[in-house]
């Protein structure tokens, strides 16, 4: 079963609105990462948040992590049509203090931003 | 610096044929991996490697072989293609994760259809 589960599965908003995507996971993690995938392309890394961090910002992106609830959220502020893509969370499970990048991906959220 | 390069981009195979998906990275990354992406399933790890001469199975290894004779290359072999292997395949690489985590870089994907 998937370690990371995103919701909603699909999100449709207007340009200028904020988009929030959530990710839940099951086991203790080393870090959690968010990736973006444009249609027909590979995944592109957006942001990484470590298990001892609670919030991280990068431009219009804001990621939060709540390890007690095993959940994370990705907020895109002032969305643009170019933000239309699928967004995936990926967890790096903690094993003896080290992991080898065996990221486990969720099913993704399809974000559509209408001009 | 080309990043992660996958070939071919598109391939159609007949059931029972074998083929190799090539993956090369020029970032001197120790860690390389192969994922498959199916609709509604997110990305699932097939095989991974933490260095030349070292490979291990991921979540869905059956029907696939890998080898890592050099740091740069990590080919994925389909031994006897089946329609269930119709998917999009992504190669990825990163530095070893360690406790701090590292960005994973993805190739552009290989679309494989088995008829």
């Amino acid at each position: 079963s998937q370690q990371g589960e995103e919701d909603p599965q699909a999100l449709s908003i207007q340009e200028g609105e904020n988009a929030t995507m959530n990710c839940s996971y099951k086991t203790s993690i080393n870090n959690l990462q968010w990736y973006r995938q444009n249609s027909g392309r590979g995944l592109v890394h957006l942001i990484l948040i470590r298990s001892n961090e609670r919030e991280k910002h990068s431009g219009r992106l804001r990621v939060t992590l709540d390890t007690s609830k095993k959940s994370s959220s990705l907020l895109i502020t002032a969305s643009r049509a170019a933000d239309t893509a699928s967004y995936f969370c990926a967890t790096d499970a903690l094993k003896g203090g080290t992991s080898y990048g065996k990221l486990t991906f969720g099913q993704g959220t399809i974000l559509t931003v209408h001009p | 610096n080309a990043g992660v390069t996958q070939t071919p981009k598109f391939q159609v195979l007949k059931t029972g044929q074998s083929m190799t998906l090539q993956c090369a990275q020029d970032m001197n990354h120790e860690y390389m991996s192969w994922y498959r992406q199916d609709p509604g399933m997110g990305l699932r790890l097939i095989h991974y490697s933490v260095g030349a001469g070292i490979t291990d199975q991921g979540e869905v290894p059956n029907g696939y072989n890998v080898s890592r004779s050099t740091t740069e290359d990590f080919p994925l072999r389909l031994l006897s293609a089946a329609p269930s292997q119709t998917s999009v395949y992504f190669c990825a690489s990163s530095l070893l994760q360690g406790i701090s985590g590292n960005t994973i870089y993805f190739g552009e994907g290989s679309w494989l259809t088995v008829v």
Side-chain angles (χ1 to χ4, degrees), chain A:
Chain A
S1 62
Q2 297 291 320
Q3 162 79 320
E5 298 285 346
E6 288 100 333
D7 84 271
Q9 290 187 336
L11 181 60
S12 182
I13 59 175
Q14 297 294 320
E15 244 183 353
E17 294 180 340
N18 295 341
T20 299
M21 288 158 269
N22 302 297
C23 171
S24 60
Y25 58 91
K26 297 175 182 174
T27 63
S28 297
I29 60 170
N30 186 19
N31 63 71
L32 186 145
Q33 305 182 28
W34 284 91
Y35 287 80
R36 166 194 169 125
Q37 183 182 35
N38 285 43
S39 180
R41 305 297 298 274
L43 279 75
V44 175
H45 180 261
L46 293 177
I47 198 165
L48 179 153
I49 186 165
R50 297 186 177 89
S51 58
N52 62 351
E53 297 175 315
R54 292 297 166 257
E55 188 170 311
K56 205 159 183 182
H57 296 254
S58 177
R60 294 185 294 112
L61 305 180
R62 174 178 164 250
V63 169
T64 62
L65 179 64
D66 187 336
T67 53
S68 66
K69 294 181 180 178
K70 292 186 169 58
S71 67
S72 173
S73 67
L74 170 67
L75 169 67
I76 304 174
T77 60
S79 62
R80 305 166 181 166
D83 294 328
T84 295
S86 294
Y87 292 82
F88 296 87
C89 71
T91 52
D92 178 14
L94 190 64
K95 280 186 182 179
T98 302
S99 70
Y100 295 114
K102 286 176 65 177
L103 292 186
T104 302
F105 286 82
Q107 296 177 5
T109 293
I110 301 171
L111 173 66
T112 303
V113 182
H114 300 280

Side-chain angles (χ1 to χ4, degrees), chain B residues 40 52 113:
Chain B
T113 301

Side-chain angles (χ1 to χ4, degrees), chain B residues 23-29 32 52 68-74:
Chain B
C23 177
Q25 52 90 11
D26 60 359
M27 297 173 281
N28 203 30
H29 286 166
M32 295 185 75
R68 185 93 178 271
S69 57
T70 66
T71 300
E72 295 78 18
D73 301 299
F74 191 46

Side-chain angles (χ1 to χ4, degrees), chain B residues 9-29:
Chain B
K9 180 87 171 177
F10 299 99
Q11 183 72 48
V12 178
L13 282 179
K14 293 183 179 178
T15 298
Q17 285 185 320
S18 62
M19 77 156 298
T20 300
L21 298 177
Q22 302 291 343
C23 177
Q25 52 90 11
D26 60 359
M27 297 173 281
N28 203 30
H29 286 166

